[in-house]
Amino acid sequence: MSLIHYCVVLILILVYSNSALGQDDEVLMLPNERTTLDDCHLRFHKLLATSLPKPAFGHPAHLKEFAHMGAIGWTQPNGTIAWKCGGTLIWDNFVLTAAHCVIDTENQAPDVIRFGDLNIETTEGDEYAQQLKIVAIFRHPQHRFASHYHDIALLKLEHNVTVTEVVAPACLWTDEEVRFKILEATGWGRTGYAEDQTPILLKVALKPIENEECGKVYRNVTDRKLRLGLQPHQICAVDKKMDTCEGDSGGPLQIKLMHNTRVTPFVVAITSFGTACGLSSPGVYTKIAPYHDWIVETMQKNGAMVPNDVYNATFCALRYVSLREYEDAIITSRTPDYVAVDTDRRHMFEVDGLPSYIVQLAWNGETNDCFGVIIDEDTVLTLAQCVTHNRERVSHIIYSNITTIKVSRIHVHPKYEQGSSYNNIAILRLQHFVNENDFDPACIWQDDTPSQEVYVHGSGRRDINRLLYSYDHDNSIDSSITILAPRVRFQNNSSCLIPKRYLPLLRNGLTKEHICSGQNLFLVPKSCDLVTGAAVHEDFYRAGNTYPMVYGLNFLGRECGFGEHSIAIGMANHGEWMKTILFSNYKTSHDTIQFVDTDHQEGDSCHRHDGRPARCVPISRCSRGWKQFLSNGTIELCATSSLACCSLNDIAETELNVIHPQLAGCPRLVENLNITSPRGSLVFIGWLTSKGMELRCLGTIITKRIILTSASCVGDEVPAAVEIEGNSGTQTRYEVDAILVHYAFNATDDTNDIALIRLQDTLVWSSDLFPSCLWTNTTHVPLVLSMVSPDDTGNVGLAKVVAMYNTDCQRTHMYDVQDSQLCARNPFDNFTCNTRSDQLRYDSPSSVSYIVGLSTDFDECEHFRYTVFTRISSFVHWIGMNI
Ligand SMILES: *[C@@H]1O[C@H](CO)[C@@H](O)[C@H](O)[C@H]1NC(C)=O
Ligand SMILES: *[C@@H]1O[C@H](CO)[C@@H](O)[C@H](O)[C@H]1NC(C)=O
Ligand SMILES: *[C@@H]1O[C@H](CO)[C@@H](O)[C@H](O)[C@H]1NC(C)=O
Ligand SMILES: *[C@@H]1O[C@H](CO)[C@@H](O)[C@H](O)[C@H]1NC(C)=O
Ligand SMILES: *[C@@H]1O[C@H](CO)[C@@H](O)[C@H](O)[C@H]1NC(C)=O
Ligand SMILES: *[C@@H]1O[C@H](CO)[C@@H](O)[C@H](O)[C@H]1NC(C)=O
Ligand SMILES: *[C@@H]1O[C@H](CO)[C@@H](O)[C@H](O)[C@H]1NC(C)=O
Ligand SMILES: *[C@@H]1O[C@H](CO)[C@@H](O)[C@H](O)[C@H]1NC(C)=O
Ligand SMILES: *[C@@H]1O[C@H](CO)[C@@H](O)[C@H](O)[C@H]1NC(C)=O
Ligand SMILES: *[C@@H]1O[C@H](CO)[C@@H](O)[C@H](O)[C@H]1NC(C)=O
């Protein structure tokens, strides 16, 4: 390393202002040893806080909820119209209804239909209403008025309706499987025995029930119209509350499906018949699915230009997307003609791609649909079911869709059985680090109580998922796949709705290791596929920043948990197993805890098994005992589980009061000095050369005669003097008396890289000349530290750095990182460089400046994110003995 000539003016340049720290008030402390998985905010600490603006807007609204509902009417001889049945607009000029509605009790056919009118008897809202003549009636060919079967008919209108927000066709549910737990019936239906026609449109929530159960009711009814019992083309539904009647005859039984942050009604069945109202018996409905082809063909044969796939859920939902209602979640307020919405509250977010912490698994070039989450530079969590594909074990991971990294080790949960939904978790270790400089890992949730609402990862067609505003009329088909971030709710075991077809995979039911999440709202089918092995997650605010917190890895569920919920393997329950793999030397067994002297209290002498002299102290003060406990769970205890019988050699020196009084008194001394500048304890150390005084190293004053610096900087040659800058900018030179390099300093691996310089004269403390205090805590260091470094121009720069676990920098360090060393990284740069005499400092809220580390001579800084320092707390005893 070349000699650096420092200019005599010491200027502190604050490289990153404190305002950029965005810290909470708490001082974050990093323990020396890693003992918890809940330390992501420490390991991957970010210094710059971010926030996002929230959009909000409103738009005018009409009553769109019943836009497809029509009232079917019979014009009476005196000119009034009797509204006796309901119908559903399914095409611009076609209405679907029940076959029994095509004649009334007087054998008359209906002749008129009215849409967009909530209150059929009054003129209220009539400006939106459209009334059209019925010009043709198509009853299903197999329907007989003498029976309840095939009770379905189409009505052709005189011309197209004008499609508006309050008059628009519905979609049809064409799947034989009716997966919905609740359906909605609408109609101007009678509400009780009185048989009054209610003037306004009503909706009622109904629960589909099995035909078998429903049939029990109708078996006793001697109804010749139902001689063959209930048929597969019929479904039954009962009022959830079992107290009111089903909807109007001919009206729809429907479900609203979400897409594009809106909902479109899908008609599942047509109201056919029921027993007497108010008797809480099920209504019977004609299912749409078996009649799909008849409906489409009939319309086609009668002049409608209907494509064959007109009722494909995706295409149908997109047809009038811009006219549909917004999903409830985003509506913040509603008046009769205006709704305000906040799209931040929507359930489905289209995102640019999977977050970079989601990695794809690969088998020598092949991929399937398995993913995992990366939790640090070389560790991926995934599902055990994802490890093997076509009998081959996963060989690589793909990070950010570009970087392929080889898997070096695979740890499948030892209790996992092939194909099982239990202990379905695995850890992959990578051969190389993910070397992205903006690497953002996922954090693992370790707590039992998660938030109510979280996000999952899905993928689906762009057209059906994009957010459309009221002024967009973009219903173009775009089958490209986009990544989705659906917002779902945690469900407990009783509210979890698992699709029936997954029950065989969950033979023992849901256990504590599972996370059930989802929404009761259904999506348009095939609009969202869960990403297998991706995360149930949430951005979590912690220590001034947000971190992605992963609750679990998804493995079961369709439509991203909407309507039917999805199941993930939770992280919290597998923490112990993960620690055994992620922490070196971690042992779970606590049975090695031994109480040796149960009647001994703090401070008493005690008897260790190894016979070494020992005393009872709080565990945290027994540095080696604590470390041993963490590594293999062995500890000898006194009266309580927090008192260790600690060998006298192990008791932290600070607790044995060997700390030199001058060092111990430092914080109080400095607090009382009313210091005016933080630089008052920095000195430059100089050597006399032919060119004069050469200031080569930075040192720090720790007592009135002692300067602390690194051995690698001062070398063997005794310096001539140190220079200290006064407040006025004047330099004062103090002659050096002697130098002491640590006896065990090793210039190869830079261990014990510490030296003391003694001055000939004694300093006089003032508000601009004062000591730095030593960081004496042997178990923790402050997470965010300042690195003070002289630069080439002779100024002293101050940069924020973040302390790291030794075990983390050990992964790439060429030598053993000793306990007496400390690693830190510059979070703003890809590398952390230092010179031989940089200092790691911590400025406490009470303005006391502590020296926490001294840099070592590490030449290859341009290859490493971190740099290694001498940990001052390990040398407090040595310093004390030598001052
Ligand atoms: C019209 O005739 C129907 C029966 O045909 C009757 O119920 C209704 O009261 C009459 N309305 C008026 C206004 O005469
Ligand atoms: C009626 O609506 C259909 C479907 O939108 C359209 O294809 C047809 O051209 C319309 N007919 C008239 C006469 O506008
Ligand atoms: C049907 O009739 C049988 C025999 O009369 C009776 O036991 C049963 O309770 C009835 N079921 C219903 C649903 O009414
Ligand atoms: C609708 O059609 C698209 C394109 O052909 C297809 O991918 C999708 O699966 C269909 N949707 C349903 C529900 O069948
Ligand atoms: C990932 O890479 C593939 C092929 O290189 C590309 O087709 C695809 O669009 C990429 N996906 C994303 C999300 O970048
Ligand atoms: C635990 O580790 C310590 C060293 O760290 C060792 O002395 C001790 O024997 C170990 N105990 C057991 C039970 O393995
Ligand atoms: C430091 O400041 C406090 C209050 O501002 C004052 O009481 C005290 O005397 C000052 N100490 C010195 C040494 O100037
Ligand atoms: C200095 O450190 C290196 C690397 O750890 C080691 O090989 C060497 O033995 C050490 N030297 C001494 C004198 O301990
Ligand atoms: C070291 O710091 C930690 C974290 O702030 C604290 O809990 C512990 O008590 C400190 N140890 C000593 C000896 O002061
Ligand atoms: C870190 O490296 C990335 C690419 O490897 C580069 O884009 C970025 O600018 C670098 N950051 C700094 C601060 O040099």
Side-chain angles (χ1 to χ4, degrees), residues 363-437:
W363 288 259
N364 296 310
E366 234 186 280
T367 57
N368 64 9
D369 288 330
C370 268
F371 291 76
V373 300
I374 188 155
I375 55 164
D376 68 26
E377 295 87 341
D378 62 352
T379 312
V380 168
L381 286 181
T382 187
L383 298 170
Q385 72 180 54
C386 279
V387 163
T388 311
H389 170 67
N390 287 342
R391 298 218 184 125
E392 268 187 70
R393 299 202 112 198
V394 57
S395 65
H396 295 81
I397 62 105
I398 305 170
Y399 178 71
S400 268
N401 200 21
I402 317 168
T403 318
T404 301
I405 304 175
K406 201 166 187 326
V407 172
S408 59
R409 261 173 305 149
I410 301 171
H411 305 269
V412 173
H413 194 289
K415 289 190 187 150
Y416 173 71
E417 285 166 27
Q418 189 70 36
S420 153
S421 299
Y422 303 94
N423 303 302
N424 187 0
I425 187 165
I427 294 175
L428 311 178
R429 287 295 199 154
L430 308 181
Q431 201 163 65
H432 303 292
F433 271 22
V434 167
N435 219 354
E436 277 290 303
N437 287 308

Side-chain angles (χ1 to χ4, degrees), residues 534-766:
V536 180
H537 65 102
E538 173 180 29
D539 280 349
F540 210 78
Y541 185 82
R542 187 134 189 214
N545 247 302
T546 49
Y547 297 86
M549 196 64 77
V550 170
Y551 296 99
L553 306 178
N554 267 312
F555 69 101
L556 278 184
R558 63 178 170 182
E559 300 305 347
C560 293
F562 281 72
E564 295 161 333
H565 300 152
S566 61
I567 310 294
I569 287 286
M571 299 281 123
N573 240 259
H574 289 295
E576 284 300 304
W577 171 71
M578 285 190 249
K579 286 180 190 177
T580 62
I581 288 160
L582 300 179
F583 298 173
S584 46
N585 302 321
Y586 183 82
K587 298 282 188 300
T588 50
S589 146
H590 288 259
D591 55 14
T592 44
I593 295 177
Q594 297 174 21
F595 284 87
V596 287
D597 281 316
T598 48
D599 50 355
H600 286 65
Q601 302 297 331
E602 182 169 356
D604 293 352
S605 296
C606 54
H607 307 285
R608 285 177 59 89
H609 282 99
D610 59 11
R612 286 150 81 186
R615 184 183 297 172
C616 299
V617 294
I619 290 179
S620 59
R621 298 187 194 161
C622 184
S623 57
R624 208 169 307 169
W626 180 234
K627 196 174 292 175
Q628 181 177 315
F629 173 62
L630 295 175
S631 77
N632 62 13
T634 311
I635 195 156
E636 290 171 78
L637 298 173
C638 297
T640 71
S641 59
S642 60
L643 280 182
C645 178
C646 188
S647 144
L648 289 188
N649 294 341
D650 293 348
I651 296 176
E653 286 148 358
T654 48
E655 299 304 320
L656 285 175
N657 287 328
V658 296
I659 182 162
H660 194 282
Q662 271 195 58
L663 301 175
C666 177
R668 282 200 65 148
L669 171 79
V670 175
E671 275 172 30
N672 290 330
L673 280 173
N674 293 351
I675 59 170
T676 52
S677 118
R679 66 195 167 192
S681 61
L682 290 182
V683 301
F684 274 125
I685 303 162
W687 282 261
L688 272 178
T689 69
S690 50
K691 289 181 223 150
M693 183 70 78
E694 183 185 294
L695 300 171
R696 205 190 291 164
C697 299
L698 200 59
T700 192
I701 302 167
I702 56 167
T703 71
K704 286 185 176 175
R705 283 188 70 193
I706 303 292
I707 308 291
L708 184 66
T709 188
S710 45
S712 55
C713 191
V714 293
D716 298 332
E717 203 189 329
V718 180
V722 301
E723 277 190 359
I724 302 173
E725 191 208 319
N727 225 6
S728 50
T730 55
Q731 275 73 43
T732 315
R733 192 171 283 185
Y734 295 88
E735 300 295 309
V736 169
D737 175 30
I739 173 170
L740 178 69
V741 169
H742 194 282
Y743 61 93
F745 169 54
N746 181 336
T748 308
D749 64 6
D750 292 307
T751 46
N752 305 304
D753 188 359
I754 189 167
L756 299 175
I757 291 170
R758 190 171 66 208
L759 304 179
Q760 280 180 7
D761 297 318
T762 305
L763 303 173
V764 178
W765 299 141
S766 68

